[in-house]
């Protein structure tokens, strides 16, 4: 009997390459083990559509289904509509039917959104799928993710209830596992509540195609010497982001300073890698990245490059894997580096960075912008760049272990799905 699976918690994956990496890595790992699985991926589109995923570099079809925390209650994609439809036997709602057809419901909460740090609306968006899975008595698996922090007591109580109801709940790093254990208290069960690694450690890199490949390959081959990669968060570089996360340091300014300091060394080059591509949005990396490229190009010419538009998470990881050191503000941009055994540092805005870097013994490369000023942040990044050879040696030993763990945790999840089929 074939296995049915649903995946929630990956909306906006074409605009946010971190969420896209979670989606691509989960689908690829699951379908590599169960090629004939009936896989439905819930996204923020409308209706049911056909999509594409990559398994061992080959395109395979998947089914996409819209699901939204929306006030358009008449729409079948609205979680409220799905909830009411489920209460009356389904009423032909396609999303409810897909959940009912699933042997396992996988939920990754965008990696770090099972929290109220981003506001109640975001929490509601990630809570709804879990509620629906439990309501329809499906096996709910919380994929490796961050748990909390929770500042609002009623949201924390709801999170406890949802985590308690899951058949499996995986944390993606030691800090997240400690938070999960604390969240569950006496309900903690080591057989169901597990420490794993971020699924994106298992994401396969894939070379771009056509003109994008020609452009990138030519630039990388044009000169010898180390290439630094950098991802600049649009949000962390704006006043509203600095205020939202109560940052002591200005990430945008420090990003430019570390680029200049590296480029002042001989034979170095820098490639800028935007990771959130929501043009015009407050969280967009594109405008900030283009501005940084223009400023640096005026001084350093073609030693500066920026990734072409249209790359998917696999292709973006391919680019990052070719750098000698990577500096990121987006968690999954740095995971693409670490999982490729590329030394990396992160300008962090939350606790989640330390735990994920600790997965491969690199927590000293976390520059916490919440507590460090600009000079201290720059010093941390410069030390990371200067000591990249030692970090590379450490990663050569630790990354294969983390990638293996990513495979083992998916083996357990697939075994649960097969048992339920």
């Amino acid at each position: 009997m074939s296995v049915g699976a649903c995946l929630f918690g990956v909306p906006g994956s074409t605009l946010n390459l971190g969420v896209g990496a979670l989606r691509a890595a989960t689908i690829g790992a699951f379908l590599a083990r169960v090629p004939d699985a009936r896989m439905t991926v819930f996204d923020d589109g409308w209706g049911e559509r056909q999509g594409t995923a990559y398994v061992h570099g080959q395109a395979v079809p998947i089914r996409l289904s819209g699901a939204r925390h929306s006030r358009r209650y008449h729409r079948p994609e609205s979680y409220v509509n799905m909830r009411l439809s489920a209460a009356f036997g389904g009423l032909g709602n396609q999303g409810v039917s897909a959940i009912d057809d699933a042997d396992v419901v996988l939920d990754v909460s965008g990696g770090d959104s099972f929290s109220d740090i981003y506001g109640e609306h975001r929490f509601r968006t990630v809570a709804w799928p879990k509620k629906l899975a439990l309501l329809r008595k499906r096996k709910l698996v919380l994929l490796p993710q961050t748990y909390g922090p929770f500042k609002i007591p009623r949201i924390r109580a709801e999170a406890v209830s949802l985590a308690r109801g899951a058949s499996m709940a995986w944390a993606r790093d030691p800090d997240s596992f400690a938070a999960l254990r604390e969240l569950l208290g006496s309900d903690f069960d080591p057989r169901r509540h597990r420490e794993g690694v971020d699924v994106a450690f298992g994401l396969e890199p894939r070379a771009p195609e056509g003109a994008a490949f020609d452009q990138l390959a030519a630039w990388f081959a044009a000169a010898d010497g180390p290439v630094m990669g950098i991802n600049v968060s649009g949000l962390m570089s704006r006043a509203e982001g600095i205020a939202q996360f109560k940052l002591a340091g200005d990430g945008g300014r420090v990003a430019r300073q570390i680029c200049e300091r590296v480029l002042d060394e001989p034979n170095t080059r820098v490639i800028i890698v935007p990771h959130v591509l929501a043009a015009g949005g407050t969280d967009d990396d594109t405008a900030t990245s283009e501005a940084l490229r223009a400023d640096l190009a005026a001084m350093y010419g073609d030693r500066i490059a920026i990734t072409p538009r249209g790359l998917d998470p696999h292709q973006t990881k391919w680019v990052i894997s070719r750098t000698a050191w990577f500096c990121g503000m987006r968690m999954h941009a740095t995971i693409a580096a670490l999982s490729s055994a590329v030394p990396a540092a992160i300008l962090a805005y939350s606790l989640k960075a330390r735990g994920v870097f600790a997965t491969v013994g690199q927590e000293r490369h976390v520059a916490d912008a919440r507590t460090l000023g600009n000079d201290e942040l720059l010093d941390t990044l410069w030390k990371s760049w200067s000591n990249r050879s030692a970090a590379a040696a450490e990663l050569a030993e630790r990354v294969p272990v983390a990638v293996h763990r990513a495979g083992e945790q998916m083996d357990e999840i697939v075994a649960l799905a097969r048992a339920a089929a």
Side-chain angles (χ1 to χ4, degrees), residues 205-349:
R206 184 170 62 89
E209 301 171 350
F213 175 80
D214 294 340
Q215 173 187 338
L216 288 164
W219 186 83
F220 275 108
D224 295 326
V227 173
M228 166 189 163
I230 189 165
N231 156 251
V232 186
S233 163
L235 184 58
M236 280 185 70
S237 302
R238 295 186 177 95
E240 55 265 46
I242 293 172
Q244 178 182 346
F245 297 111
K246 298 179 174 60
L247 304 182
D250 182 338
R253 178 177 297 180
V254 174
R256 175 170 175 160
Q257 290 174 328
I258 188 62
C259 288
E260 290 173 344
R261 194 162 179 180
V262 167
L263 287 164
D264 284 340
E265 292 198 324
N267 303 317
T268 53
R269 291 182 295 160
V270 170
I271 187 164
I272 303 168
V273 185
H275 223 245
V276 173
L277 313 172
T282 58
D283 203 25
D284 175 49
D285 294 353
T286 309
T288 303
S289 298
E290 290 285 2
L292 178 62
R293 185 204 62 79
D295 287 347
L296 292 174
M299 299 173 59
Y300 301 101
D302 59 8
R303 292 170 65 192
I304 306 299
I306 191 168
T307 50
R309 297 176 184 270
L311 300 189
D312 67 21
H314 300 277
Q315 296 164 334
T316 302
K317 183 171 183 177
W318 178 88
V319 174
I320 291 172
S321 72
R322 302 197 64 175
T323 63
W325 179 76
F326 191 82
C327 175
M329 296 186 193
R330 303 287 185 182
M331 173 59 67
H332 278 95
T334 59
I335 289 176
L338 294 173
S339 62
S340 302
V342 170
I346 186 168
L347 279 163
Y349 65 87

Side-chain angles (χ1 to χ4, degrees), residues 163-245:
R164 185 190 300 128
S167 296
M168 279 185 176
W170 292 82
R172 66 179 178 181
D173 58 71
D175 289 355
S176 297
F177 185 59
L180 176 63
R181 182 190 291 269
E182 191 274 334
L183 185 70
L184 288 166
S186 61
D187 291 315
F188 178 82
D189 180 351
R191 296 169 299 179
R192 296 190 296 126
H193 307 131
R194 311 287 295 282
E195 181 184 338
V197 299
D198 192 290
V199 294
F201 270 89
L203 180 69
E204 298 176 357
R206 184 170 62 89
E209 301 171 350
F213 175 80
D214 294 340
Q215 173 187 338
L216 288 164
W219 186 83
F220 275 108
D224 295 326
V227 173
M228 166 189 163
I230 189 165
N231 156 251
V232 186
S233 163
L235 184 58
M236 280 185 70
S237 302
R238 295 186 177 95
E240 55 265 46
I242 293 172
Q244 178 182 346
F245 297 111

